[in-house]
Amino acid sequence: MSETIQADLTISELAMEKMRAERNILLQNTDKYALSDYPHSSDSVKQTWITYRQELRNLTTSQTPSLDSDGELINITWPTEPS
């Protein structure tokens, strides 16, 4: 494998790991909304949180992250957090 292809794989892997780390923080920050005894105002509100968290978990299969020249994540459409 050429050095250029190897470097691209490493950058892709780094972007995926960075996306996972940011995703994991978002999941951790919303763990409370997934608890069965969290006092949601309605079942539909509860479902929006369940859907949002599933969309976060699906990012690794639905997105192809990359890094810009500053090492920041690009090419990701993050799900919108329920309000």
Side-chain angles (χ1 to χ4, degrees):
M1 190 180 304
S2 75
E3 290 179 25
T4 304
I5 293 173
Q6 184 63 37
D8 287 344
L9 290 175
T10 303
I11 291 169
S12 296
E13 291 168 354
L14 180 60
M16 185 62 79
E17 287 303 314
K18 191 169 185 173
M19 182 186 72
R20 280 188 182 109
E22 289 188 26
R23 185 246 358 234
N24 289 346
I25 291 168
L26 292 172
L27 282 168
Q28 186 177 32
N29 290 341
T30 61
D31 279 348
K32 65 183 178 184
Y33 301 118
L35 297 173
S36 61
D37 61 347
Y38 185 84
H40 292 285
S41 59
S42 69
D43 286 341
S44 64
V45 171
K46 180 179 181 178
Q47 187 58 51
T48 61
W49 282 104
I50 291 169
T51 301
Y52 169 71
R53 289 171 52 79
Q54 185 60 53
E55 290 171 350
L56 287 172
R57 288 189 295 276
N58 291 345
L59 283 173
T60 57
T61 58
S62 67
Q63 302 293 308
T64 308
S66 17
L67 300 174
D68 67 12
S69 59
D70 295 324
E72 298 297 320
L73 281 171
I74 56 172
N75 199 34
I76 299 173
T77 302
W78 294 93
T80 303
E81 183 177 313
S83 52

